[in-house]
Amino acid sequence: MGKKQYKGRPGRPRKRRFYGKKADEVVEQVRDSQPESIISAEEDSDCNTSSCEEASSSESGEEDGGDASGYRLVDLTCLQSLLDKSVGCKICQRPVILREQKRDGLASTLSLVCDSCDKVTSQAMSEKYNRVWEVNRRFVFGMRWIGRGHQAMLKLCAALNMPRAMSFPAYNGHNEDLSRCAKIVAGNSMNAAAAEV
């Protein structure tokens, strides 16, 4: 027998073969090809003080004042600009430099370093419960809540110019813990409803 002939319209190309998941390559391409506005902002060595200081009142959902608690997206360049204006070393009163000491997913440990007297002050930017950073657990919960998964999380982080959130095994670990908790809460709720009847 001869070669198998392709059934279909003449001149139609054959179906493409599946060569594995290429989504990680796409995310890296998106991360590498940032919009011009982001690239030009990164090339500027100082944070543009007018863009860091001004708050447009036209944005919806903006609240005035209040306590500074909860999570925010913060541009570290603008934070450094704020620190330069208001914070100095306790020992020598010289300006301090903001550095990221370590990062685990979206949780960072930032440190303030004084170059003149070598004093370092560090602080984690999220609470840690049972060896799990709260910001990472909340981020996975939020992605589950809107019905999206790990790939959508990577795309969101790339679009917001944030570091890569977490690996797929770490995401699955958070996902399994959240699933186990959801089952417990659902069981308790059904038992309470059955007890009322």
Side-chain angles (χ1 to χ4, degrees):
M1 284 202 212
K3 275 181 136 179
K4 257 187 165 178
Q5 289 189 351
Y6 180 71
K7 296 179 183 178
R9 293 189 323 231
R12 181 176 175 171
R14 288 183 155 267
K15 289 178 84 173
R16 295 187 321 174
R17 289 187 143 193
F18 178 72
Y19 289 104
K21 294 184 179 180
K22 302 231 174 180
D24 287 340
E25 295 172 10
V26 172
V27 170
E28 292 302 319
Q29 289 172 358
V30 168
R31 189 183 301 270
D32 292 341
S33 62
Q34 296 174 350
E36 301 254 343
S37 61
I38 294 174
I39 293 171
S40 63
E42 287 177 353
E43 289 173 356
D44 188 15
S45 61
D46 299 321
C47 179
N48 187 356
T49 56
S50 62
S51 67
C52 292
E53 291 175 359
E54 69 186 31
S56 64
S57 59
S58 63
E59 292 183 21
S60 62
E62 187 174 313
E63 296 178 13
D64 292 333
D67 62 341
S69 63
Y71 291 96
R72 309 287 188 277
L73 289 176
V74 177
D75 184 359
L76 293 180
T77 311
C78 291
L79 184 59
Q80 178 65 52
S81 174
L82 176 68
L83 292 173
D84 288 342
K85 293 177 187 174
S86 59
V87 176
C89 177
K90 288 184 178 181
I91 297 171
C92 64
Q93 303 302 320
R94 307 263 327 237
V96 293
I97 299 169
L98 180 68
R99 295 209 175 114
E100 186 175 41
Q101 206 170 30
K102 67 178 183 173
R103 186 175 56 81
D104 185 13
L106 293 178
S108 293
T109 301
L110 299 180
S111 58
L112 297 174
V113 180
C114 179
D115 281 339
S116 59
C117 66
D118 296 329
K119 179 165 176 49
V120 178
T121 305
S122 299
Q123 175 66 43
M125 296 293 107
S126 176
E127 295 292 325
K128 200 170 192 179
Y129 299 107
N130 297 330
R131 301 181 344 205
V132 176
W133 292 104
E134 183 183 8
V135 66
N136 292 335
R137 180 65 53 92
R138 285 178 178 268
F139 196 51
V140 172
F141 179 69
M143 295 306 289
R144 279 182 59 131
W145 201 348
I146 63 171
R148 298 290 178 206
H150 184 254
Q151 290 301 318
M153 181 174 57
L154 294 179
K155 289 179 184 177
L156 178 64
C157 288
L160 294 175
N161 198 21
M162 292 169 47
R164 186 180 171 116
M166 63 191 74
S167 66
F168 188 68
Y171 176 83
N172 273 344
H174 288 292
N175 215 2
E176 288 170 5
D177 290 344
L178 289 169
S179 178
R180 189 171 36 255
C181 291
K183 287 177 184 174
I184 292 170
V185 169
N188 291 343
S189 174
M190 287 186 272
N191 289 340
E196 288 179 6
V197 174

